[in-house]
Amino acid sequence: MYIHEYQAKTILYKFGLPIPKGFVVKTKNNIESKLKNFKHMPLVVKAQAYTGGRGKCGGVLIAKTVSDARKKIESMLGMKIVNAQTGSEGKTTWAVYVEQAISIKKEFYLSIIIDRAIAKPTIIFSAAGGINIEELAKKDMGQIIKIPIDITTGPMDFQIRQIIFGAKLNMACFKELKHIIIGIYNAFITNDASQIEINPLALDMQNNLVILDAKMTFDDNALYRQPNITKLYSAKDSIPSEVEAAKNDLSFIKMDGNIGCVVNGAGLAMATMDIIMQHGGSLANFLDIGGTANVESISKAIKIVLDNHKVKTILINIFAGIVKADMVADSIISTIPTLKTKPNIIIRLLGTNSEYAKQKLQEANINVFFTSNIEEAVQKAVANAKQTG
C-alpha cells in the first residue's frame, strides 16, 4: 500500500525526524486561508500522486511570493503526471503539499527496504541523491552503500560510521545521521513498512540534515494490524481496476502492455509473465486469482483485465489443484456471453479435472483456444496480440 508524501512526513515527524513546516491543499477553496496562516517564504509546491519523478514532470515548483504560490497550487490541482513509472495514463493530482523551501548545500539518498535475498531490513545510502538517483544506480553502483540490519539490535554505531566513511562524509554529522537513521528504522518496523525512501536527505546551509521528500509503502499482508495506516489509503488516488480487484480478493497490478493474464498462484503468474516477455509479448497486468477462487471471482478477474482498452488477448493459465479446472471452465463459459468486447482467449489448463474442463469448453462451442502446453499457449497469445495491434 502506498501513501502520499505529506502523510509519510506526518508519520516521520512523530518519530522526531527533521521535517520542514508545511501544509496540504485538497481544494481550491482553502488555498487563501492556508497561505494566509503560513509565514514561511519561499515555498516548495509539490503535486501529491502515487509516483516518483514528479520534479521532471512539473510536479515540484518553487514559489517566491504568496501570489506565485496561489497560481502554482491552482494549476497543480487536477494536473496529470505522466512518466515511466505511471505509464501513458498518468496519475492525477488530487492534493498539493506546500512546505518551507530549504537552501541546500548537498543532497543524499537514504532508504530502508526489505532485502528478500537475506530476509533483513537493509539501509541504502548514497552521497549522490536527488532526481537522478535511478540513473546513478544503473551506471555506478559503487556510489551506493547497502547495510543489512539485524532486527534484534537495529542500526548500530559501527554501521553509521560505515555509511559516513563509505560516502566520504564529515564525522561531525555522525550524531545527526544516527538520529535520522534510527528514527526511520523505528518508523519502518513500527508501521510494517516495506520501504521508506528519503530522496533527498539534504544538508542545509546551516549544516543540518533535513528530510525534503519521503515515500513510504507498506506490507499489504500486515495491514490488519495497522488500522491507522489503512485509513490513509485513498481509492481516488489509485488505479480503479486495482481497487476493484482488491475488493474481490484478487492480486492485480495493471501494466502497460496488451496481453492480459489470469493465473492462479503468484509464482506461476510470474513465470507466465517471464515466458510471455521471452517470446516478445507485452504484458497488460499481473493477476493471481488465488487458491480460493470461484466462478464469480474468476469471471470478475476476466472483466477487470478487459477493463484495459489495450487488451485484445487474454491468456488464462491455470494449474488446477484446489481451484478445479472444470470450475474454471464453467466460469469462462458463463462469462464470455456477457463481455462487451470479444477478445482472443487462450486457455492453458492442467491438473485436477482438466480433461473434463476441456470437454466442457468443446461442448460449449465458444471461440477459445485450448491447450495443456504453456509454450504453445504463450506463442498463440503473442501472435494474436501482434495481429490485433
Short mmCIF file of all heavy atoms in Angstrom, two decimals, residues 214-262:
data_model
loop_
_atom_site.label_atom_id
_atom_site.label_comp_id
_atom_site.label_asym_id
_atom_site.label_seq_id
_atom_site.Cartn_x
_atom_site.Cartn_y
_atom_site.Cartn_z
N ALA A 214 9.76 12.27 1.11
CA ALA A 214 9.60 10.98 1.79
C ALA A 214 8.56 10.14 1.08
O ALA A 214 7.49 10.64 0.71
CB ALA A 214 9.20 11.20 3.25
N LYS A 215 8.89 8.89 0.87
CA LYS A 215 7.96 7.94 0.28
C LYS A 215 7.90 6.72 1.19
O LYS A 215 8.92 6.20 1.61
CB LYS A 215 8.45 7.53 -1.12
CG LYS A 215 7.52 6.57 -1.85
CD LYS A 215 8.17 6.03 -3.11
CE LYS A 215 8.42 7.11 -4.13
NZ LYS A 215 9.00 6.59 -5.38
N MET A 216 6.68 6.27 1.49
CA MET A 216 6.51 5.08 2.30
C MET A 216 5.54 4.12 1.62
O MET A 216 4.51 4.53 1.11
CB MET A 216 5.96 5.43 3.70
CG MET A 216 6.90 6.22 4.57
SD MET A 216 6.25 6.52 6.25
CE MET A 216 6.41 4.88 6.98
N THR A 217 5.90 2.84 1.62
CA THR A 217 4.98 1.79 1.20
C THR A 217 4.90 0.75 2.31
O THR A 217 5.84 0.62 3.12
CB THR A 217 5.42 1.11 -0.11
OG1 THR A 217 6.73 0.55 0.07
CG2 THR A 217 5.47 2.11 -1.25
N PHE A 218 3.79 0.02 2.34
CA PHE A 218 3.53 -0.88 3.46
C PHE A 218 3.21 -2.28 2.98
O PHE A 218 2.69 -2.48 1.88
CB PHE A 218 2.38 -0.33 4.31
CG PHE A 218 2.63 1.04 4.84
CD1 PHE A 218 2.29 2.17 4.10
CD2 PHE A 218 3.26 1.23 6.06
CE1 PHE A 218 2.54 3.44 4.57
CE2 PHE A 218 3.53 2.50 6.53
CZ PHE A 218 3.17 3.60 5.80
N ASP A 219 3.49 -3.25 3.85
CA ASP A 219 3.21 -4.64 3.56
C ASP A 219 1.70 -4.86 3.64
O ASP A 219 1.10 -4.75 4.71
CB ASP A 219 3.94 -5.52 4.58
CG ASP A 219 3.75 -7.01 4.32
OD1 ASP A 219 2.94 -7.37 3.45
OD2 ASP A 219 4.40 -7.81 5.02
N ASP A 220 1.07 -5.17 2.51
CA ASP A 220 -0.38 -5.38 2.48
C ASP A 220 -0.82 -6.47 3.45
O ASP A 220 -1.91 -6.41 4.02
CB ASP A 220 -0.84 -5.75 1.07
CG ASP A 220 -0.72 -4.59 0.09
OD1 ASP A 220 -0.55 -3.45 0.55
OD2 ASP A 220 -0.77 -4.84 -1.12
N ASN A 221 0.04 -7.48 3.63
CA ASN A 221 -0.32 -8.61 4.49
C ASN A 221 -0.31 -8.25 5.97
O ASN A 221 -0.79 -9.03 6.80
CB ASN A 221 0.64 -9.78 4.24
CG ASN A 221 0.52 -10.33 2.84
OD1 ASN A 221 -0.58 -10.57 2.36
ND2 ASN A 221 1.63 -10.51 2.15
N ALA A 222 0.24 -7.08 6.30
CA ALA A 222 0.30 -6.66 7.71
C ALA A 222 -0.70 -5.56 8.04
O ALA A 222 -0.76 -5.10 9.17
CB ALA A 222 1.72 -6.20 8.05
N LEU A 223 -1.50 -5.15 7.06
CA LEU A 223 -2.39 -4.02 7.28
C LEU A 223 -3.47 -4.31 8.32
O LEU A 223 -4.02 -3.39 8.93
CB LEU A 223 -3.05 -3.59 5.97
CG LEU A 223 -2.10 -2.93 4.95
CD1 LEU A 223 -2.84 -2.62 3.65
CD2 LEU A 223 -1.50 -1.65 5.52
N TYR A 224 -3.77 -5.59 8.55
CA TYR A 224 -4.78 -5.93 9.55
C TYR A 224 -4.38 -5.46 10.94
O TYR A 224 -5.24 -5.24 11.80
CB TYR A 224 -5.03 -7.45 9.56
CG TYR A 224 -3.89 -8.26 10.14
CD1 TYR A 224 -3.88 -8.62 11.49
CD2 TYR A 224 -2.82 -8.67 9.35
CE1 TYR A 224 -2.83 -9.36 12.02
CE2 TYR A 224 -1.78 -9.41 9.87
CZ TYR A 224 -1.79 -9.76 11.20
OH TYR A 224 -0.75 -10.49 11.73
N ARG A 225 -3.07 -5.28 11.17
CA ARG A 225 -2.63 -4.80 12.48
C ARG A 225 -2.17 -3.34 12.43
O ARG A 225 -1.55 -2.85 13.37
CB ARG A 225 -1.52 -5.69 13.03
CG ARG A 225 -0.26 -5.77 12.18
CD ARG A 225 0.69 -6.82 12.73
NE ARG A 225 1.93 -6.87 11.98
CZ ARG A 225 2.78 -7.90 12.03
NH1 ARG A 225 2.50 -8.95 12.79
NH2 ARG A 225 3.90 -7.88 11.33
N GLN A 226 -2.48 -2.67 11.33
CA GLN A 226 -2.12 -1.25 11.18
C GLN A 226 -3.34 -0.44 10.77
O GLN A 226 -3.38 0.17 9.69
CB GLN A 226 -1.00 -1.11 10.13
CG GLN A 226 0.30 -1.78 10.46
CD GLN A 226 1.04 -1.11 11.61
OE1 GLN A 226 0.69 -0.01 12.03
NE2 GLN A 226 2.06 -1.77 12.12
N PRO A 227 -4.38 -0.37 11.61
CA PRO A 227 -5.61 0.35 11.22
C PRO A 227 -5.38 1.83 10.92
O PRO A 227 -6.04 2.39 10.06
CB PRO A 227 -6.53 0.16 12.44
CG PRO A 227 -5.61 -0.17 13.58
CD PRO A 227 -4.47 -0.93 12.97
N ASN A 228 -4.42 2.45 11.62
CA ASN A 228 -4.15 3.87 11.38
C ASN A 228 -3.51 4.10 10.02
O ASN A 228 -3.71 5.15 9.40
CB ASN A 228 -3.27 4.45 12.48
CG ASN A 228 -4.00 4.54 13.81
OD1 ASN A 228 -5.22 4.68 13.84
ND2 ASN A 228 -3.27 4.42 14.91
N ILE A 229 -2.74 3.14 9.56
CA ILE A 229 -2.13 3.23 8.23
C ILE A 229 -3.18 2.97 7.16
O ILE A 229 -3.26 3.68 6.15
CB ILE A 229 -0.95 2.23 8.10
CG1 ILE A 229 0.15 2.55 9.10
CG2 ILE A 229 -0.41 2.23 6.67
CD1 ILE A 229 0.78 3.91 8.94
N THR A 230 -4.02 1.98 7.38
CA THR A 230 -5.05 1.63 6.41
C THR A 230 -5.96 2.82 6.12
O THR A 230 -6.41 3.02 4.98
CB THR A 230 -5.90 0.45 6.93
OG1 THR A 230 -5.03 -0.63 7.26
CG2 THR A 230 -6.89 -0.03 5.88
N LYS A 231 -6.23 3.65 7.12
CA LYS A 231 -7.09 4.83 6.96
C LYS A 231 -6.50 5.84 5.99
O LYS A 231 -7.23 6.67 5.43
CB LYS A 231 -7.32 5.50 8.31
CG LYS A 231 -8.19 4.71 9.27
CD LYS A 231 -8.26 5.41 10.62
CE LYS A 231 -9.02 4.58 11.64
NZ LYS A 231 -9.01 5.20 12.99
N LEU A 232 -5.19 5.79 5.78
CA LEU A 232 -4.54 6.76 4.91
C LEU A 232 -4.72 6.45 3.43
O LEU A 232 -4.47 7.29 2.57
CB LEU A 232 -3.04 6.83 5.22
CG LEU A 232 -2.66 7.22 6.66
CD1 LEU A 232 -1.15 7.16 6.84
CD2 LEU A 232 -3.19 8.61 7.00
N TYR A 233 -5.14 5.23 3.14
CA TYR A 233 -5.29 4.81 1.75
C TYR A 233 -6.41 5.57 1.06
O TYR A 233 -7.49 5.76 1.62
CB TYR A 233 -5.58 3.31 1.69
CG TYR A 233 -5.86 2.78 0.30
CD1 TYR A 233 -4.83 2.62 -0.62
CD2 TYR A 233 -7.16 2.46 -0.09
CE1 TYR A 233 -5.09 2.14 -1.89
CE2 TYR A 233 -7.42 1.98 -1.35
CZ TYR A 233 -6.39 1.82 -2.25
OH TYR A 233 -6.64 1.34 -3.51
N SER A 234 -6.17 6.01 -0.14
CA SER A 234 -7.17 6.75 -0.91
C SER A 234 -7.44 6.03 -2.22
O SER A 234 -6.57 5.96 -3.10
CB SER A 234 -6.67 8.17 -1.21
OG SER A 234 -7.54 8.82 -2.12
N ALA A 235 -8.66 5.48 -2.35
CA ALA A 235 -9.02 4.78 -3.59
C ALA A 235 -9.02 5.74 -4.78
O ALA A 235 -8.74 5.34 -5.90
CB ALA A 235 -10.39 4.13 -3.44
N LYS A 236 -9.34 7.02 -4.53
CA LYS A 236 -9.39 8.01 -5.62
C LYS A 236 -8.02 8.19 -6.27
O LYS A 236 -7.93 8.50 -7.46
CB LYS A 236 -9.89 9.35 -5.06
CG LYS A 236 -10.10 10.41 -6.13
CD LYS A 236 -10.89 11.59 -5.61
CE LYS A 236 -10.06 12.46 -4.70
NZ LYS A 236 -10.73 13.76 -4.43
N ASP A 237 -6.95 7.99 -5.47
CA ASP A 237 -5.60 8.16 -5.99
C ASP A 237 -5.06 6.89 -6.65
O ASP A 237 -3.96 6.89 -7.18
CB ASP A 237 -4.65 8.57 -4.86
CG ASP A 237 -5.00 9.93 -4.30
OD1 ASP A 237 -5.12 10.88 -5.10
OD2 ASP A 237 -5.16 10.05 -3.08
N SER A 238 -5.83 5.82 -6.59
CA SER A 238 -5.36 4.52 -7.08
C SER A 238 -5.99 4.19 -8.43
O SER A 238 -6.96 4.82 -8.86
CB SER A 238 -5.70 3.43 -6.07
OG SER A 238 -5.12 3.72 -4.81
N ILE A 239 -5.46 3.18 -9.09
CA ILE A 239 -6.00 2.72 -10.37
C ILE A 239 -7.31 1.99 -10.10
O ILE A 239 -7.34 1.05 -9.30
CB ILE A 239 -4.99 1.79 -11.07
CG1 ILE A 239 -3.71 2.56 -11.40
CG2 ILE A 239 -5.58 1.19 -12.33
CD1 ILE A 239 -2.57 1.71 -11.89
N PRO A 240 -8.42 2.42 -10.72
CA PRO A 240 -9.73 1.83 -10.42
C PRO A 240 -9.77 0.30 -10.53
O PRO A 240 -10.41 -0.36 -9.71
CB PRO A 240 -10.65 2.49 -11.46
CG PRO A 240 -10.00 3.79 -11.77
CD PRO A 240 -8.52 3.52 -11.68
N SER A 241 -9.12 -0.25 -11.55
CA SER A 241 -9.14 -1.71 -11.71
C SER A 241 -8.43 -2.41 -10.57
O SER A 241 -8.82 -3.51 -10.15
CB SER A 241 -8.51 -2.10 -13.05
OG SER A 241 -7.21 -1.56 -13.19
N GLU A 242 -7.38 -1.79 -10.01
CA GLU A 242 -6.67 -2.38 -8.87
C GLU A 242 -7.54 -2.31 -7.62
O GLU A 242 -7.53 -3.23 -6.78
CB GLU A 242 -5.34 -1.67 -8.66
CG GLU A 242 -4.34 -1.93 -9.78
CD GLU A 242 -2.97 -1.30 -9.53
OE1 GLU A 242 -2.80 -0.65 -8.48
OE2 GLU A 242 -2.08 -1.46 -10.39
N VAL A 243 -8.29 -1.23 -7.47
CA VAL A 243 -9.21 -1.10 -6.33
C VAL A 243 -10.30 -2.17 -6.42
O VAL A 243 -10.62 -2.85 -5.43
CB VAL A 243 -9.84 0.31 -6.30
CG1 VAL A 243 -10.90 0.40 -5.19
CG2 VAL A 243 -8.77 1.36 -6.09
N GLU A 244 -10.86 -2.34 -7.62
CA GLU A 244 -11.92 -3.33 -7.83
C GLU A 244 -11.39 -4.74 -7.58
O GLU A 244 -12.09 -5.58 -6.99
CB GLU A 244 -12.45 -3.21 -9.26
CG GLU A 244 -13.64 -4.08 -9.57
CD GLU A 244 -14.89 -3.71 -8.79
OE1 GLU A 244 -14.98 -2.57 -8.29
OE2 GLU A 244 -15.79 -4.56 -8.67
N ALA A 245 -10.16 -5.02 -8.02
CA ALA A 245 -9.56 -6.33 -7.80
C ALA A 245 -9.39 -6.61 -6.31
O ALA A 245 -9.68 -7.72 -5.84
CB ALA A 245 -8.21 -6.42 -8.52
N ALA A 246 -8.93 -5.62 -5.57
CA ALA A 246 -8.73 -5.80 -4.13
C ALA A 246 -10.04 -6.12 -3.42
O ALA A 246 -10.08 -6.93 -2.50
CB ALA A 246 -8.11 -4.53 -3.54
N LYS A 247 -11.15 -5.51 -3.88
CA LYS A 247 -12.46 -5.79 -3.29
C LYS A 247 -12.87 -7.24 -3.50
O LYS A 247 -13.65 -7.80 -2.72
CB LYS A 247 -13.52 -4.88 -3.93
CG LYS A 247 -13.43 -3.42 -3.54
CD LYS A 247 -14.51 -2.62 -4.25
CE LYS A 247 -14.41 -1.13 -3.93
NZ LYS A 247 -15.42 -0.35 -4.68
N ASN A 248 -12.34 -7.85 -4.55
CA ASN A 248 -12.69 -9.23 -4.89
C ASN A 248 -11.58 -10.22 -4.52
O ASN A 248 -11.55 -11.35 -5.03
CB ASN A 248 -13.01 -9.33 -6.38
CG ASN A 248 -14.31 -8.65 -6.75
OD1 ASN A 248 -15.37 -9.24 -6.66
ND2 ASN A 248 -14.23 -7.39 -7.14
N ASP A 249 -10.66 -9.77 -3.65
CA ASP A 249 -9.56 -10.64 -3.16
C ASP A 249 -8.69 -11.17 -4.29
O ASP A 249 -8.23 -12.32 -4.27
CB ASP A 249 -10.11 -11.81 -2.33
CG ASP A 249 -10.79 -11.34 -1.05
OD1 ASP A 249 -10.28 -10.38 -0.44
OD2 ASP A 249 -11.81 -11.92 -0.66
N LEU A 250 -8.47 -10.34 -5.30
CA LEU A 250 -7.60 -10.69 -6.41
C LEU A 250 -6.32 -9.86 -6.32
O LEU A 250 -6.38 -8.65 -6.10
CB LEU A 250 -8.29 -10.40 -7.75
CG LEU A 250 -9.61 -11.13 -8.02
CD1 LEU A 250 -10.32 -10.53 -9.22
CD2 LEU A 250 -9.36 -12.63 -8.25
N SER A 251 -5.18 -10.51 -6.51
CA SER A 251 -3.91 -9.78 -6.53
C SER A 251 -3.67 -9.30 -7.96
O SER A 251 -3.38 -10.12 -8.85
CB SER A 251 -2.76 -10.70 -6.08
OG SER A 251 -2.95 -11.11 -4.75
N PHE A 252 -3.80 -8.00 -8.17
CA PHE A 252 -3.78 -7.46 -9.53
C PHE A 252 -2.94 -6.20 -9.58
O PHE A 252 -3.05 -5.32 -8.73
CB PHE A 252 -5.22 -7.13 -9.96
CG PHE A 252 -5.33 -6.45 -11.30
CD1 PHE A 252 -5.35 -7.19 -12.46
CD2 PHE A 252 -5.41 -5.07 -11.39
CE1 PHE A 252 -5.47 -6.57 -13.70
CE2 PHE A 252 -5.53 -4.43 -12.61
CZ PHE A 252 -5.55 -5.19 -13.78
N ILE A 253 -2.08 -6.12 -10.60
CA ILE A 253 -1.30 -4.91 -10.87
C ILE A 253 -1.42 -4.61 -12.36
O ILE A 253 -1.10 -5.45 -13.20
CB ILE A 253 0.18 -5.08 -10.49
CG1 ILE A 253 0.34 -5.38 -9.00
CG2 ILE A 253 0.98 -3.82 -10.86
CD1 ILE A 253 1.73 -5.75 -8.58
N LYS A 254 -1.89 -3.42 -12.65
CA LYS A 254 -2.04 -3.03 -14.05
C LYS A 254 -0.69 -2.64 -14.64
O LYS A 254 0.12 -2.00 -13.97
CB LYS A 254 -3.01 -1.85 -14.16
CG LYS A 254 -3.37 -1.48 -15.59
CD LYS A 254 -4.40 -0.38 -15.63
CE LYS A 254 -4.77 -0.01 -17.05
NZ LYS A 254 -5.77 1.08 -17.11
N MET A 255 -0.47 -3.02 -15.89
CA MET A 255 0.77 -2.70 -16.60
C MET A 255 0.41 -2.06 -17.94
O MET A 255 -0.77 -1.76 -18.19
CB MET A 255 1.63 -3.95 -16.74
CG MET A 255 1.99 -4.56 -15.38
SD MET A 255 2.74 -6.20 -15.44
CE MET A 255 4.35 -5.78 -16.05
N ASP A 256 1.40 -1.86 -18.79
CA ASP A 256 1.20 -1.01 -19.97
C ASP A 256 1.14 -1.78 -21.29
O ASP A 256 1.14 -1.17 -22.35
CB ASP A 256 2.32 0.03 -20.03
CG ASP A 256 1.86 1.33 -20.68
OD1 ASP A 256 0.67 1.66 -20.54
OD2 ASP A 256 2.68 1.99 -21.33
N GLY A 257 1.08 -3.11 -21.24
CA GLY A 257 1.09 -3.89 -22.47
C GLY A 257 -0.30 -4.24 -22.97
O GLY A 257 -1.29 -3.61 -22.59
N ASN A 258 -0.39 -5.29 -23.83
CA ASN A 258 -1.67 -5.62 -24.44
C ASN A 258 -2.08 -7.08 -24.29
O ASN A 258 -3.10 -7.50 -24.83
CB ASN A 258 -1.68 -5.24 -25.92
CG ASN A 258 -0.61 -5.97 -26.72
OD1 ASN A 258 0.15 -6.78 -26.17
ND2 ASN A 258 -0.52 -5.68 -28.00
N ILE A 259 -1.30 -7.89 -23.55
CA ILE A 259 -1.68 -9.28 -23.28
C ILE A 259 -2.10 -9.39 -21.82
O ILE A 259 -1.31 -9.21 -20.90
CB ILE A 259 -0.52 -10.26 -23.56
CG1 ILE A 259 -0.09 -10.20 -25.02
CG2 ILE A 259 -0.93 -11.69 -23.19
CD1 ILE A 259 1.09 -11.07 -25.37
N GLY A 260 -3.39 -9.66 -21.61
CA GLY A 260 -3.90 -9.83 -20.26
C GLY A 260 -3.64 -11.24 -19.75
O GLY A 260 -3.68 -12.20 -20.52
N CYS A 261 -3.39 -11.36 -18.46
CA CYS A 261 -3.10 -12.66 -17.85
C CYS A 261 -4.04 -12.93 -16.68
O CYS A 261 -4.25 -12.05 -15.84
CB CYS A 261 -1.66 -12.71 -17.33
SG CYS A 261 -0.40 -12.58 -18.60
N VAL A 262 -4.60 -14.13 -16.64
CA VAL A 262 -5.37 -14.61 -15.49
C VAL A 262 -4.75 -15.92 -15.07
O VAL A 262 -4.81 -16.91 -15.80
CB VAL A 262 -6.86 -14.81 -15.86
CG1 VAL A 262 -7.62 -15.37 -14.67
CG2 VAL A 262 -7.48 -13.49 -16.32
#
